Amino acid sequence: MPSRQVDIDRVFYALGDPTRRAIVDKLTEGPLSVSRLATPLDITPTAVIQHLQVLEEGGLVQTEKIGRVRTCRLETAGFSALEQWVRDHRSMWERRLDRLGDLLDESG
Amino acid sequence: MPSRQVDIDRVFYALGDPTRRAIVDKLTEGPLSVSRLATPLDITPTAVIQHLQVLEEGGLVQTEKIGRVRTCRLETAGFSALEQWVRDHRSMWERRLDRLGDLLDESG
């Protein structure tokens, strides 16, 4: 899998919208054309294309136009960046909780 | 730890801004007042308060005003919701990759 550098800002921004998360969920079933994505989501192909652009910028989706059909599929780069951010911050959150635990022990 | 339901939209939105992520990173060192947060980030206390409100809505930060000082600390609910989302979607992304692997095997 080619792995490209993605801006974590764009990953969070892309996933902060329920329609874009629904597009991601649909694409886990496999690649789909824009019109096949639009129908069950009950939005216009134009709206889908705008959301896809944001998802592409976040490294979450790839699209490819062959003839007149644009096919969309999941990409891993954005998801990997998100996983990495969560992994890096889990220990920070845990440290904070440990410190809180210490304080409670001291006051107990 | 009390765990409250958070809207994943708000978690992603809150973390999609580098200043808000910087606030989160600062708070991993322990609770801080608004002015102690504002100084190293080189932004006004008013801007910090606006960012804190977004982080609070995402369940990532708690603030408490005692007298004239507002103290900020990390909260776990938002981070837990984010971890859960990543966990739920990891298998989806993996399934997609497996399917791609199958296709490559078939064509090989």
Side-chain angles (χ1 to χ4, degrees), chain B residues 39 45 81:
Chain B
T39 311

Side-chain angles (χ1 to χ4, degrees), chain B residues 33-46:
Chain B
S33 68
V34 169
S35 56
R36 289 281 301 280
L37 267 175
T39 311
L41 295 172
D42 202 21
I43 53 176
T44 64
T46 308

Side-chain angles (χ1 to χ4, degrees), chain A residues 52-105:
Chain A
L52 285 170
Q53 198 173 337
V54 178
L55 288 164
E56 279 192 277
E57 285 166 359
L60 295 152
V61 164
Q62 283 178 311
T63 74
E64 189 186 12
K65 195 162 184 178
I66 300 173
R68 290 164 64 184
V69 177
R70 182 172 291 280
T71 301
C72 320
R73 65 192 78 230
L74 287 186
E75 216 217 322
T76 52
F79 191 74
S80 299
L82 178 63
E83 270 201 310
Q84 188 60 50
W85 191 92
V86 169
R87 210 175 301 134
D88 291 346
H89 285 76
R90 183 182 295 132
S91 60
M92 292 186 184
W93 246 271
E94 279 166 0
R95 266 205 304 280
R96 192 200 74 92
L97 288 181
D98 287 348
R99 210 170 289 130
L100 195 68
D102 291 345
L103 283 170
L104 292 174
D105 286 345

Side-chain angles (χ1 to χ4, degrees), chain B:
Chain B
M1 271 295 98
S3 155
R4 68 179 179 86
Q5 207 58 29
V6 295
D7 182 345
I8 191 74
D9 275 11
R10 290 176 184 271
V11 179
F12 281 124
Y13 176 71
L15 293 172
D17 178 275
T19 305
R20 286 196 288 271
R21 290 201 307 281
I23 290 174
V24 162
D25 287 354
K26 282 301 291 173
L27 291 177
T28 59
E29 298 162 20
L32 285 172
S33 68
V34 169
S35 56
R36 289 281 301 280
L37 267 175
T39 311
L41 295 172
D42 202 21
I43 53 176
T44 64
T46 308
V48 171
I49 286 169
Q50 285 168 350
H51 284 307
L52 285 170
Q53 199 174 336
V54 178
L55 288 164
E56 279 191 277
E57 284 166 0
L60 296 152
V61 163
Q62 283 179 311
T63 74
E64 188 187 13
K65 196 163 185 179
I66 301 172
R68 289 164 65 184
V69 177
R70 182 171 291 279
T71 301
C72 319
R73 67 192 76 232
L74 288 186
E75 217 217 321
T76 52
F79 191 74
S80 300
L82 178 63
E83 271 200 309
Q84 188 60 50
W85 192 91
V86 169
R87 209 176 301 134
D88 290 346
H89 285 76
R90 183 182 295 134
S91 59
M92 291 186 185
W93 246 271
E94 280 166 359
R95 264 205 306 278
R96 191 199 71 92
L97 289 180
D98 287 347
R99 208 169 291 131
L100 195 67
D102 291 345
L103 282 172
L104 291 175
D105 286 346
E106 282 166 24
S107 66

Side-chain angles (χ1 to χ4, degrees), chain A residues 6-14 58, chain B residues 12 15-19 21:
Chain A
V6 295
D7 182 345
I8 191 74
D9 275 12
R10 290 176 183 272
V11 179
F12 281 124
Y13 176 71
Chain B
F12 281 124
L15 293 172
D17 178 275
T19 305
R21 290 201 307 281

